[in-house]
Amino acid sequence: MDGDSRAKMEDMFIKPGNQERGWNDPPQFSYGLQTAHGPRKNLLTKRVAPPAAGPGAPPPAPPSFSPLAPPPCGPAPPPRCQAPPPPGMATPPPPPGPIASQREPDSSQSESEPDVEGVVSALNWALGACRQAVPGQVCDDIAKRVGVLEAGWRSGRLSLPVRRRMGTLTRELQSGHWDSADEIHRSLMVDHVTEVSQWMVGVKRLIAETRNLSPELLELDQDPAGPDQDPAGPDQDPAGPDQDPAGPEETTSSQS
Amino acid sequence: MTTYQEFIQQNEDRDGVRFSWNLWPSSRLEATRLVVPVSCLFTPLKERPDLPPVQYEPVLCSRANCKAVLNPLCQVDFRAKIWACNFCFQRNPFPPSYAGISDVNQPAELMPQFSTIEYIVQRGPPAPLIFLYVVDTCLEEEDLQALRESLQMSLSLLPPNALVGLITFGRMVQVHELSCEGIAKSYVFRGTKELSSKQIQEMLGLMKPTASGQQGRPLAPQDAVAASCRFLQPVHRVDMNLTDLLGELQRDPWPVPQGKRPLRSTGVALSVAVGLLEGTFPNTGARVMLFTGGPPTQGPGMVVGDELKTPIRSWHDIQKDNARYLKKATKHYEALANRSAVNGHSIDIYACALDQTGLLEMKCLANLTGGHIVMGDSFNTSLFKQTFQRVFTKDYNGDFRMAFGGTLEIKEMGIGGTSQWKVCSLNPSTTLAMYFEVVNQHNAPIPQGGRGAIQFVTQYQHSNTQKRIRVTTIARNWADAQSQIQHIEGSFDQEVAAVLMARLGVFRAESEEGPDVLRWLDRQLIRLCQKFGQFNKDDPTSFKLSESLSLYPQFMFHLRRSPFLQVFNNSPDESSYYRHHFVRQDLTQSLIMIQPILYSYSFYGPPEPVLLDSSSILPDRILLMDTFFQLVIYHGETIAQWRKAGYQEMAEYENFKQLLQAPLDDAQEILQTRFPMPRYIDTEHGGSQARFLLSKVNPSQTHNNLYAWGQETGAPILTDDVSLQVFMDHLKKLAVSSSA
């Protein structure tokens, strides 16, 4: 299964409710499951009229399953499948989010393990662009939170789904897909608030401020590169303001 | 040819309206003889993805005391560009912008398929939505941590330009300044002192300072806005600071001695919240969200004292007039609720505690302002967290499913007056019940045109801050009850009639003694059966009801047993909670609450609905019961034994695994969408939680009659409740009796 499909599955999980704190607490659905607007399959709304029997008649006896000769102890086993299952069906693929039979995927290895350097440098790239237009105090606050994120990541305190989704988030950010990045931040806040609440609001603000910057402050990475590649920086782009010091008509925002 | 069922469904789909009678009796006397009043359930903001709003103002009738909106029932002269109001018959010229209309080029509002139509009318600058969090800090650390996180999460769900504010309370009440830099400041109020709106605004610096003994005047609007900025700031500006502030919220520092409750000043906290919004943003959409983990125990609005040995009032206490704080506390919250409603501010209550929190006294805050009540055991539960998330769900357009500052006007033909209500806060499922009185004199001729018409005009602020007007215009034929009683009977909508009578019953129950309501309900049912039943006098076995009424007695049977009318099995808070949701849900959900849905899963075929009866409980079935507030999955005795033996893990019993999974999948659909989230009970034969199922089913087999039938089918219920059969027998006897 490739990284994206696994990421998708991680987005659609169900956890059991908190039976210790709440009577019959219902299961908890991930943000991905709750926002998926699939067509409603069944509407359980039908009722049955009571039988028009006269007074005093007992309700009709429904057909009951006559068991096979019961074993000496315990009930007869359930009816077997009529035909042997077709090959390949013996272990059905896990359906998206069945209740009580799926834990949150937490595999330890993955070929697409996100890279902390890539994620942090992407965030810092955006922050660097923001510093030209956004008040310093706000940028410092964001920087502090990116620091908390980095420290938490490096010390192994962030779970794999969070790391993966941050990888996707920064890829979207670098490609200028602001709504998508915003949606990922939201899904992380809903699904993993305990892990991310300290620093995620900084990422949220960063997305909000970055998308409002005028385009020439940003060198948008049109090719959605992976987090392990460097984002295109101004020194690589021949048209960048740093390259050509002459001509006021070419260097607008970097004039001091 | 459309059947009545289809007609009813089409009308509900298009207009969000369902009438108890779809042919209207032509006189007041005949209407009262029908027993069930001419009434309807109306969902003002029913979701209509297929109905794009129009971007112009509605055209109104020019008669001053009419002002009905142009609609498909109006007669139009396209050549003269004149239309005749169907309510008052005034002839009105079309406005100049309608010069190009003709019968092949009609404006949308004249077309029959646009009997419901929505107008976008932006008047004045768009106003941002306001969210004011009022947070109880007398919580256990685990609960407070969970609540902190939920509130932090909610900042990511709010629109960026919404205004947000924070008030925390325990023994004292603190209003927090949300500045963007520097030290966090707050204004502290004593939790014991009743304060007027003016005092609150003065103390928060929202009034001009007095000069030479003059009364402090409220600030001019722009100054008030600037001053309130300290307390209510746009999310996009303060989200980082507020996240930190929430993260650092501490438990109320005042120590709670052994045997005592924490001192909780909910009454003052809400006074401050309402006063703050009143003084800064009157007439703008706002939500006050109260998060509380226990009852108010000091100051105005207290519901119980701080001694744990004095329990909070039960229904028995109330019946014996032994609830000393009840009247005064209710009065305090009702006053706040009315002030809020006038300003278009709604108040939500999120109450999470194992004991009662005072919902009985505080329910008016939500009920009068269209706010939510969510009741849970702890903030650290999925029930609270997900229900709270769902407050912020977005619709197919990416807008919140909430509307503010609603007013509903109803116009009826011939009356000349218009009735208007304020419906502070709405969502797409909010459903109102309206009861009409036919005023025609008996034997007066049927009004001109043969049809009665009603127009519903709902003005509101959409969550995307646009001002909108939704207009629904419907008509039904009048009928002469003397000669057309069978037609009127055929037009009866028993499902909505059950809900409408139930809402009337709940209304009576909240204002009268309990047993009288059941007697009233029974009397109405007997009268209805006497009027429409087919029978021979004094012969109960001959009694029959036509199809349009056949399910009605069963609805009434279950309603009598429901928590809306039977309160002694629940705490006063629980009853308030159940009733709150019952009187605002749409038809389908309300019916589920009256008579829960029961589906049976077995090897014999696809899942099927079964009688809500003890005979449906069988060893080899799995049952899924939906009461709206609970989802119960019950495994019959044999199923439970198979499950315990682990057959579902074996390849050759794959079908058993699928059988176990089927009700879970169906339950999941409900769990993913319902607001509030229901409790989820997975139980089996003999399980202690099976009582949720056993208490709802009709006890056709009880310990009293089980052996009389000589056949042991279904699970017996240990109860002395009358069964549906016995109920129906009594009903038939009374209906056919010539001495009734």
Side-chain angles (χ1 to χ4, degrees):
Chain A
M1 189 187 299
D2 69 354
D4 274 346
S5 312
R6 185 175 281 111
K8 278 250 148 51
M9 271 203 49
E10 279 166 359
D11 290 351
M12 320 279 252
F13 62 80
I14 305 179
K15 293 193 297 211
N18 187 348
Q19 297 297 335
E20 265 147 64
R21 291 299 277 190
W23 276 98
N24 302 309
D25 201 29
Q28 190 152 359
F29 298 89
S30 66
Y31 183 77
L33 268 181
Q34 295 220 73
T35 48
H37 292 296
R40 292 202 65 176
K41 298 191 312 276
N42 319 306
L43 276 180
L44 302 181
T45 55
K46 294 210 175 19
R47 289 186 176 78
V48 175
S64 74
F65 170 66
S66 35
L68 308 168
C73 46
R80 287 169 182 250
C81 297
Q82 297 294 57
M89 281 272 290
T91 47
I99 297 179
S101 61
Q102 179 166 357
R103 292 163 290 115
E104 187 178 339
D106 194 46
S107 48
S108 44
Q109 308 301 335
S110 155
E111 45 311 280
S112 62
E113 167 71 50
D115 165 38
V116 58
E117 303 284 358
V119 167
V120 172
S121 72
L123 295 174
N124 283 326
W125 158 78
L127 182 55
C130 285
R131 283 204 182 271
Q132 301 170 70
V134 176
Q137 198 197 359
V138 173
C139 295
D140 291 342
D141 201 342
I142 297 175
K144 197 177 71 177
R145 291 172 205 269
V146 172
V148 174
L149 155 62
E150 186 175 1
W153 190 316
R154 290 187 189 282
S155 62
R157 284 199 304 270
L158 294 187
S159 67
L160 185 58
V162 170
R163 302 200 301 269
R164 278 228 191 83
R165 273 194 242 180
M166 280 309 296
T168 316
L169 189 157
T170 45
R171 273 202 299 280
E172 297 295 283
L173 184 65
Q174 287 175 296
S175 312
H177 300 151
W178 317 117
D179 286 340
S180 174
D182 204 30
E183 194 63 6
I184 298 174
H185 120 258
R186 234 188 309 279
S187 76
L188 279 167
M189 273 303 277
V190 169
D191 293 338
H192 300 279
V193 63
T194 314
E195 270 182 79
V196 312
S197 63
Q198 269 195 305
W199 46 266
M200 183 55 79
V201 65
V203 175
K204 171 194 181 213
R205 183 70 91 89
L206 187 57
I207 299 169
E209 298 291 354
T210 311
R211 75 193 293 172
N212 285 337
L213 295 176
S214 41
E216 61 261 18
L217 290 176
L218 288 169
E219 300 294 335
L220 281 182
D221 189 6
Q222 294 304 329
D223 172 27
D228 47 346
Q229 290 184 7
D230 288 332
D235 47 331
Q236 292 177 8
D237 183 349
D242 292 357
Q243 287 295 308
D244 188 351
E249 71 272 13
E250 284 177 335
T251 59
T252 49
S253 44
S254 64
Q255 288 281 18
S256 44
Chain B
M1 151 112 168
T2 339
T3 63
Y4 256 115
Q5 288 291 82
E6 288 164 1
F7 172 79
I8 288 169
Q9 193 57 55
Q10 277 168 16
N11 276 280
E12 184 182 15
D13 290 341
R14 194 180 59 235
D15 297 323
V17 183
R18 274 180 77 152
F19 271 91
S20 52
W21 302 98
N22 288 288
L23 273 181
W24 293 344
S26 50
S27 78
R28 168 188 265 155
L29 182 59
E30 290 301 334
T32 50
R33 283 182 183 155
L34 292 183
V35 182
V36 175
V38 174
S39 44
C40 73
L41 279 185
F42 174 50
T43 307
L45 299 187
K46 184 179 167 73
E47 227 154 52
R48 291 283 312 277
D50 59 321
L51 178 70
V54 297
Q55 311 252 9
Y56 48 85
E57 296 258 353
V59 173
L60 303 182
C61 176
S62 55
R63 183 170 287 177
N65 65 352
C66 177
K67 295 223 171 288
V69 180
L70 178 65
N71 65 78
L73 300 175
C74 298
Q75 299 269 35
V76 176
D77 183 339
F78 285 105
R79 269 187 312 131
K81 303 286 190 275
I82 290 180
W83 61 281
C85 175
N86 63 306
F87 289 100
C88 70
F89 307 113
Q90 167 93 337
R91 297 172 84 72
N92 300 292
F94 278 106
S97 51
Y98 282 66
I101 66 170
S102 69
D103 53 12
V104 296
N105 183 25
Q106 299 194 21
E109 60 266 36
L110 286 178
M111 301 194 227
Q113 64 266 36
F114 289 105
S115 50
T116 291
I117 186 168
E118 186 147 310
Y119 301 85
I120 299 176
V121 289
Q122 193 54 45
R123 295 182 193 127
L129 300 181
I130 304 172
F131 296 86
L132 179 54
Y133 295 159
V134 181
V135 179
D136 173 11
T137 53
C138 301
L139 304 175
E140 282 181 36
E141 184 54 43
E142 181 185 336
D143 264 50
L144 185 58
Q145 177 59 20
L147 181 56
R148 280 187 204 115
E149 287 176 356
S150 282
L151 296 177
Q152 288 169 329
M153 173 215 64
S154 72
L155 295 180
S156 283
L157 300 177
L158 291 177
N161 52 1
L163 301 185
V164 67
L166 177 65
I167 296 177
T168 54
F169 68 98
R171 187 177 171 140
M172 314 290 241
V173 176
Q174 267 182 294
V175 184
H176 297 261
E177 258 192 21
L178 303 178
S179 61
C180 303
E181 69 275 327
I183 307 165
K185 271 167 50 187
S186 60
Y187 289 64
V188 180
F189 295 80
R190 283 220 327 262
T192 45
K193 201 157 176 281
E194 174 79 73
L195 291 167
S196 73
S197 179
K198 204 160 70 105
Q199 284 172 309
I200 292 168
Q201 285 159 28
E202 261 169 21
M203 291 165 78
L204 291 176
L206 301 172
M207 306 276 265
K208 269 203 182 357
T210 55
S212 59
Q214 270 181 329
Q215 288 280 21
R217 287 175 295 119
L219 293 173
Q222 59 276 23
D223 294 335
V225 170
S228 71
C229 260
R230 293 179 287 135
F231 306 115
L232 295 162
Q233 291 254 25
V235 173
H236 69 83
R237 243 196 278 151
V238 293
D239 49 6
M240 294 203 285
N241 286 315
L242 185 50
T243 300
D244 290 342
L245 184 54
L246 289 167
E248 285 152 15
L249 274 186
Q250 295 299 313
R251 290 178 65 189
D252 191 59
W254 299 92
V256 181
Q258 190 82 294
K260 297 257 191 167
R261 296 187 177 90
L263 290 174
R264 208 179 262 107
S265 324
T266 322
V268 172
L270 286 167
S271 281
V272 173
V274 169
L276 168 60
L277 284 178
E278 226 173 13
T280 53
F281 292 98
N283 299 312
T284 312
R287 288 202 101 84
V288 175
M289 296 173 138
L290 172 70
F291 300 89
T292 182
T297 45
Q298 78 166 3
M302 69 185 274
V303 153
V304 68
D306 66 337
E307 294 276 342
L308 273 172
K309 65 175 190 273
T310 315
I312 195 170
R313 74 287 171 279
S314 66
W315 279 120
H316 283 289
D317 292 326
I318 294 168
Q319 200 182 37
K320 292 183 167 43
D321 211 11
N322 192 21
R324 56 185 277 217
Y325 302 105
L326 177 55
K327 273 204 186 57
K328 213 161 151 233
T330 308
K331 228 174 115 195
H332 175 81
Y333 295 116
E334 269 175 2
L336 288 179
N338 284 319
R339 278 164 53 195
S340 252
V342 157
N343 279 301
H345 302 152
S346 72
I347 303 178
D348 298 338
I349 304 175
Y350 302 92
C352 287
L354 289 174
D355 198 358
Q356 296 184 71
T357 53
L359 286 180
L360 178 70
E361 292 83 353
M362 293 195 288
K363 66 183 191 243
C364 51
L365 294 168
N367 290 344
L368 295 181
T369 64
H372 304 301
I373 300 183
V374 174
M375 193 178 77
D377 300 319
S378 151
F379 289 107
N380 194 20
T381 55
S382 148
L383 190 146
F384 165 70
K385 290 181 194 175
Q386 286 193 104
T387 304
F388 183 52
Q389 278 167 34
R390 285 181 196 172
V391 172
F392 304 100
T393 26
K394 301 210 171 141
D395 64 15
Y396 43 88
N397 278 331
D399 296 320
F400 281 160
R401 286 193 163 101
M402 43 171 112
F404 297 89
T407 53
L408 172 61
E409 268 182 48
I410 300 188
K411 179 148 237 56
E412 316 106 42
M413 194 156 103
I415 305 302
T418 307
S419 314
Q420 199 183 75
W421 287 272
K422 205 144 182 142
V423 191
C424 220
S425 168
L426 291 161
N427 58 54
S429 71
T430 306
T431 300
L432 310 168
M434 272 130 219
Y435 301 84
F436 299 95
E437 211 181 312
V438 176
V439 293
N440 245 20
Q441 294 287 31
H442 196 50
N443 290 328
I446 289 178
Q448 183 180 8
R451 287 213 288 182
I454 296 183
Q455 187 173 76
F456 304 90
V457 179
T458 310
Q459 301 193 49
Y460 68 100
Q461 178 187 9
H462 194 270
S463 64
N464 66 12
T465 77
Q466 281 170 344
K467 286 253 172 11
R468 292 199 181 186
I469 303 180
R470 189 184 280 210
V471 181
T472 295
T473 315
I474 60 94
R476 296 289 187 276
N477 290 330
W478 296 106
D480 172 38
Q482 315 280 19
S483 54
Q484 295 180 285
I485 191 65
Q486 291 208 321
H487 289 115
I488 294 181
E489 181 184 338
S491 80
F492 185 61
D493 182 345
Q494 55 191 335
E495 292 187 334
V496 80
V499 175
L500 287 162
M501 293 300 278
R503 286 205 190 188
L504 273 180
V506 168
F507 177 73
R508 279 170 176 257
E510 300 214 291
S511 38
E512 284 175 24
E513 299 297 306
D516 284 353
V517 180
L518 291 179
R519 269 201 286 275
W520 169 81
L521 201 65
D522 289 347
R523 248 197 334 271
Q524 305 312 310
L525 177 59
I526 294 165
R527 285 178 58 210
L528 192 70
C529 290
Q530 285 171 332
K531 172 90 178 172
F532 291 105
Q534 295 133 36
F535 55 91
N536 303 321
K537 268 206 168 29
D538 293 314
D539 180 10
T541 56
S542 68
F543 183 89
K544 263 182 9 174
L545 280 175
S546 69
E547 211 181 308
S548 55
L549 290 125
S550 58
L551 293 178
Y552 187 81
Q554 195 182 17
F555 286 136
M556 291 299 108
F557 169 75
H558 287 285
L559 176 62
R560 292 169 97 259
R561 291 156 51 90
S562 72
F564 312 112
L565 299 183
Q566 294 286 352
V567 297
F568 285 93
N569 291 330
N570 297 112
S571 68
D573 277 10
E574 280 169 331
S575 303
S576 305
Y577 175 68
Y578 294 139
R579 285 172 173 169
H580 161 86
H581 285 287
F582 181 65
V583 299
R584 55 175 45 197
Q585 281 293 343
D586 65 26
L587 175 66
T588 309
Q589 305 302 316
S590 300
L591 273 181
I592 291 174
M593 293 188 216
I594 292 175
Q595 184 177 331
I597 297 277
L598 191 64
Y599 269 69
S600 174
Y601 299 74
S602 71
F603 286 116
Y604 311 115
E608 51 172 12
V610 290
L611 274 179
L612 188 60
D613 185 285
S614 50
S615 62
S616 300
I617 305 177
L618 295 165
D620 57 353
R621 307 291 161 97
I622 306 178
L623 293 176
L624 170 60
M625 181 176 75
D626 181 8
T627 72
F628 183 83
F629 299 101
Q630 295 120 0
L631 275 178
V632 182
I633 296 182
Y634 172 93
H635 300 86
E637 184 169 16
T638 310
I639 303 269
Q641 286 169 333
W642 284 338
R643 186 166 69 157
K644 193 153 168 231
Y647 281 105
Q648 64 275 17
E649 310 296 344
M650 304 180 208
E652 62 270 39
Y653 296 104
E654 172 71 28
N655 54 345
F656 179 60
K657 182 175 180 188
Q658 287 170 356
L659 179 65
L660 285 180
Q661 189 58 38
L664 304 189
D665 289 342
D666 287 345
Q668 180 174 338
E669 274 218 52
I670 298 171
L671 286 168
Q672 262 179 264
T673 49
R674 184 170 289 165
F675 182 94
M677 222 182 163
R679 297 198 188 244
Y680 177 72
I681 297 146
D682 187 322
T683 185
E684 61 188 29
H685 170 84
S688 66
Q689 309 280 42
R691 69 181 187 277
F692 285 103
L693 174 67
L694 300 177
S695 63
K696 292 290 183 188
V697 295
N698 169 38
S700 60
Q701 285 115 355
T702 69
H703 58 293
N704 287 331
N705 62 15
L706 182 63
Y707 299 107
W709 283 331
Q711 236 198 85
E712 209 164 313
T713 46
I717 312 279
L718 295 173
T719 179
D720 289 320
D721 275 347
V722 55
S723 71
L724 177 61
Q725 290 83 334
V726 172
F727 176 80
M728 290 301 297
D729 291 344
H730 284 168
L731 177 62
K732 288 174 192 173
K733 274 206 194 71
L734 291 166
V736 307
S737 164
S738 45
S739 58

